[in-house]
Amino acid sequence: MKESGEVIIKNNNEIDLPKIINSEVNLLVFPFFVLERKSKKLETEYKDIVKRGGQKIEIIWNVSANPKYGYPGPFDREVHKIIEQIISEILKEEGEIKNPISFSIYDLCNRMGITSAGGDNYQRIKKALEKIRATTIKSEGALYQKKEKKWISKVFGIYDGVIFRGEQLEDGTIAEKNLLYLGDIYLQSLNSFYVKPIDYDYFKSLKSKIASRLYEILGVKFYGLRNKREKFICYRYSKLCQLLPVTPHEYISLAKQQLDPGNNELIDTGFISKFDWSENGNKDWLIYYWPGDRAKEEMKRAKLRNINNRAGEYLPGPKPVCVRTRTGREEVIKYSKEQITLINQLVEINVSKITAENLIKNNDQELIKKWIEAINYTNAEDKAAYLVKAIRENWQVPEEYLRERKEEEQKEEREKIEVIKVKQQEEKNKKRQEEIKKIEQIYNSLDHLQQEEIRIETENRLPDFWKVQLNKERVKGKTSKMLEVVLEEKKREIIKEWMDSGRIEDKNSRPLYR
């Protein structure tokens, strides 16, 4: 993945995607930070009526700030994004987040592009972390926990504690570094990989705070379009204002003035292809969003994978499946972990579970694996139906997919070859160092007369240029490093010759590396 300070949409529709961070999905969808720099509010609440299990229920997401610290704003949001960047690096390297996370203010400043880590900037970052720590979230059926696969009602915080260097720890000792403790709910969600990749350089490049917030919300919702006939996302204006969060306007002209600068910036940067307002006959208007090249590219690159392709590790284990045979008897079919993974991946693409199980039982699993990856390289409107037909009829996967796979394999092969070359060179260097050390030991074991003979022979064998150089440098009383290297090389050459001829012996009788 390329890294760049500026995101460029090229003429051939290729998009440079720089480094990514992985943001927790609940915090991308629901509001936490305000977008105004100076806000006096202490509470944000999102309410909605949703249908679950055939019933309509009200969900509530409430964010309450501590009056002493104030409500988290744009700067605090930037600090948290850097914390997410550190979390992403830990997840990638170690596969799990454990409390506490150590950090330095200097590093946070560098990552944020702040030139000075001292004084006011130090205090601003410290206050931002304390402000987020003091802010409470109350979920009533709004928070989804991937690990438990259920919606929960709970009061919690993103951070559980922040201890700065020099402060006292619970055991009475003094903290030698800054420590951040993540809240249990947030920590569980991260370790369950309930995250979505965010293009951090693109996020930072967006001038409008509304555009950057829409990028977070729409980025999650666009993923739901991959397997649906509809190719757009629709929001009621009032609902979108709650999610951003911003204060809603009474007139559509003012609402457009409020949101359209951000909407237009997302069009200009390729994240959405278009948006449309519908007055809908009342004062709660509808806004439609269509994904652009950037959003499509992000979805394509993700290919239903989480960090380090670890999604399969968090799927349920194998469960026996009962099927009724022609004789009316029930037969238990046990799937392997790999088969369960494939079934779940098919279901994610909107293939029914029964159809997915039948595909696994009756078709080559390597073909299924390929088509799960290759489906995003097709233009099929109904990807589930297309995928099922392609597997059952043993269709050839798209050329673009095969070409990209081949390029990835060639890249991996080149990397393997490079690793082998590096190891071979390291081994060669190691043997050479051992040879040099051994020859030096042999030289030091010789008597003074033999050493003098070798010195004279060494100087006699020097090329004419170096003989002249040696005489000049002797007059100055100092030899250059380059000349010393040449002399040492010639000396080792002579010692090896004399050993081969039996003129001198290795007293340790160990073979000399060549």
Side-chain angles (χ1 to χ4, degrees):
M1 189 170 288
K2 297 179 181 179
E3 291 192 8
S4 169
E6 182 179 1
V7 173
I8 302 169
I9 299 181
K10 300 178 180 179
N11 293 330
N12 61 359
N13 291 328
E14 287 185 12
I15 295 177
D16 283 334
L17 289 179
K19 58 189 175 184
I20 62 168
I21 60 177
N22 289 274
S23 294
E24 200 275 339
V25 174
N26 290 298
L27 292 175
L28 286 176
V29 175
F30 294 116
F32 185 84
F33 301 93
V34 291
L35 304 182
E36 301 87 4
R37 292 196 177 277
K38 294 182 179 180
S39 175
K40 295 181 179 179
K41 73 185 300 180
L42 291 174
E43 183 180 29
T44 292
E45 188 166 81
Y46 172 81
K47 291 183 177 181
D48 197 10
I49 304 295
V50 299
K51 192 173 182 180
R52 288 181 193 152
Q55 294 182 329
K56 288 186 177 180
I57 62 171
E58 183 183 46
I59 63 168
I60 299 174
W61 174 274
N62 181 281
V63 181
S64 301
N66 185 311
K68 178 180 177 180
Y69 295 95
Y71 199 99
F75 181 79
D76 313 304
R77 183 181 180 218
E78 291 176 26
V79 172
H80 180 64
K81 275 285 178 276
I82 295 302
I83 295 298
E84 286 185 319
Q85 190 180 71
I86 295 171
I87 287 170
S88 299
E89 291 166 3
I90 297 172
L91 277 173
K92 185 175 181 181
E93 292 175 7
E94 302 179 15
E96 183 183 14
I97 302 294
K98 294 180 180 178
N99 275 329
I101 297 171
S102 64
F103 66 94
S104 76
I105 301 293
Y106 179 79
D107 179 49
L108 296 185
C109 287
N110 274 347
R111 289 171 182 259
M112 292 176 69
I114 297 174
T115 55
S116 172
D120 293 341
N121 290 322
Y122 180 94
Q123 292 302 321
R124 286 183 74 197
I125 290 178
K126 182 177 178 181
K127 287 179 180 178
L129 294 170
E130 291 174 335
K131 191 182 296 184
I132 297 170
R133 161 66 184 90
T135 303
T136 303
I137 299 171
K138 181 180 180 181
S139 164
E140 294 184 12
L143 180 80
Y144 182 73
Q145 276 200 306
K146 181 179 177 182
K147 185 176 181 180
E148 299 179 12
K149 296 189 180 298
K150 66 178 184 180
W151 305 88
I152 65 170
S153 298
K154 206 156 190 176
V155 177
F156 65 100
I158 301 178
Y159 302 159
D160 195 40
V162 187
I163 298 175
F164 296 97
R165 187 172 61 184
E167 294 181 349
Q168 190 172 16
L169 297 169
E170 289 184 1
D171 61 4
T173 60
I174 302 301
E176 296 180 356
K177 50 190 175 182
N178 304 309
L179 301 173
L180 175 64
Y181 293 81
L182 303 181
D184 288 343
I185 298 294
Y186 183 49
L187 187 64
Q188 289 173 24
S189 200
L190 291 171
N191 285 333
S192 297
F193 285 81
Y194 192 44
V195 295
K196 179 196 173 291
I198 292 292
D199 179 341
Y200 182 58
D201 284 351
Y202 175 62
F203 175 87
K204 286 200 306 181
S205 74
L206 294 169
K207 297 180 177 63
S208 163
K209 298 300 179 187
I210 286 178
S212 67
R213 182 72 186 110
L214 284 171
Y215 169 58
E216 292 179 321
I217 298 168
L218 296 176
V220 173
K221 296 303 179 181
F222 280 156
Y223 269 66
L225 296 179
R226 293 170 300 175
N227 309 310
K228 293 184 179 180
R229 292 183 180 276
E230 298 85 359
K231 296 302 177 185
F232 57 82
I233 292 292
C234 179
Y235 274 108
R236 288 190 180 278
Y237 170 71
S238 59
K239 181 177 178 180
L240 192 56
C241 285
Q242 287 186 69
L243 291 171
L244 286 170
V246 293
T247 304
H249 287 290
E250 186 177 356
Y251 302 103
I252 192 170
S253 58
L254 295 176
K256 288 182 176 180
Q257 289 178 25
Q258 179 187 38
L259 299 188
D260 280 0
N263 292 335
N264 286 321
E265 187 173 8
L266 292 181
I267 285 182
D268 293 341
T269 54
F271 187 72
I272 61 175
S273 58
K274 63 177 180 176
F275 67 93
D276 190 29
W277 290 78
S278 172
E279 297 197 31
N280 199 33
N282 55 49
K283 292 189 176 182
D284 194 5
W285 315 287
L286 299 177
I287 312 175
Y288 295 84
Y289 291 97
W290 284 261
D293 288 339
R294 179 180 292 280
K296 291 175 182 177
E297 187 70 13
E298 286 188 7
M299 289 187 283
K300 177 181 173 183
R301 295 287 180 94
K303 294 181 185 176
L304 306 176
R305 298 173 186 172
N306 284 318
I307 299 176
N308 282 354
N309 302 325
R310 298 175 61 96
E313 297 181 15
Y314 302 95
L315 298 173
K319 295 180 180 179
V321 178
C322 293
V323 296
R324 192 168 297 279
T325 64
R326 291 182 181 179
T327 62
R329 295 174 61 189
E330 284 193 342
E331 178 185 348
V332 176
I333 298 177
K334 290 185 177 180
Y335 293 109
S336 67
K337 287 185 179 181
E338 186 178 11
Q339 288 173 324
I340 287 290
T341 298
L342 290 176
I343 289 171
N344 279 281
Q345 288 175 337
L346 289 167
V347 170
E348 281 191 56
I349 307 173
N350 274 3
V351 177
S352 72
K353 190 172 183 181
I354 293 174
T355 302
E357 289 169 356
N358 285 330
L359 288 175
I360 294 298
K361 286 186 290 183
N362 301 315
N363 296 276
D364 178 63
Q365 290 181 27
E366 284 302 316
L367 177 67
I368 296 173
K369 285 180 187 177
K370 286 182 180 179
W371 266 111
I372 288 173
E373 292 183 348
I375 190 62
N376 289 313
Y377 293 81
T378 70
N379 295 321
E381 290 189 5
D382 189 341
K383 284 185 166 51
Y386 187 99
L387 181 65
V388 171
K389 191 173 179 64
I391 294 170
R392 283 177 175 167
E393 297 183 9
N394 198 22
W395 289 358
Q396 175 66 39
V397 292
E399 287 294 329
E400 184 185 353
Y401 166 75
L402 291 173
R403 184 168 58 253
E404 188 167 309
R405 278 288 301 272
K406 186 176 180 180
E407 288 174 358
E408 288 177 1
E409 288 171 1
Q410 289 174 342
K411 182 182 177 183
E412 288 176 3
E413 189 61 31
R414 288 195 298 270
E415 288 175 352
K416 286 180 184 177
I417 292 171
E418 190 61 33
V419 169
I420 291 171
K421 284 182 179 178
V422 170
K423 286 184 177 178
Q424 288 176 339
Q425 186 60 46
E426 288 175 351
E427 187 64 27
K428 186 177 178 181
N429 292 340
K430 182 181 176 182
K431 287 183 177 181
R432 177 167 173 77
Q433 289 304 314
E434 289 176 355
E435 177 187 280
I436 291 171
K437 182 179 179 182
K438 186 172 181 62
I439 290 176
E440 190 62 30
Q441 288 174 346
I442 292 170
Y443 177 77
N444 291 334
S445 70
L446 300 176
D447 59 40
H448 178 71
L449 290 176
Q450 288 176 309
Q451 290 182 353
E452 183 63 17
E453 282 186 75
I454 291 172
R455 184 190 67 76
I456 294 170
E457 182 67 17
T458 297
E459 293 180 4
N460 288 337
R461 289 196 188 186
L462 286 176
D464 291 342
F465 168 79
W466 287 111
K467 286 180 180 177
V468 172
Q469 196 68 21
L470 178 61
N471 291 330
K472 287 181 180 179
E473 293 184 11
R474 273 181 175 164
V475 172
K476 295 179 181 178
K478 185 179 179 182
T479 54
S480 65
K481 289 185 178 180
M482 183 62 73
L483 180 56
E484 288 176 1
V485 170
V486 174
L487 288 167
E488 283 296 318
E489 189 64 36
K490 282 294 177 186
K491 183 177 78 174
R492 286 193 292 270
E493 178 185 307
I494 294 166
I495 291 172
K496 283 194 287 184
E497 285 181 10
W498 287 14
M499 287 182 65
D500 290 341
S501 65
R503 190 169 177 181
I504 58 176
E505 295 181 0
D506 178 5
K507 294 181 180 179
N508 295 322
S509 299
R510 293 172 60 188
L512 189 66
Y513 291 96
R514 298 191 179 181

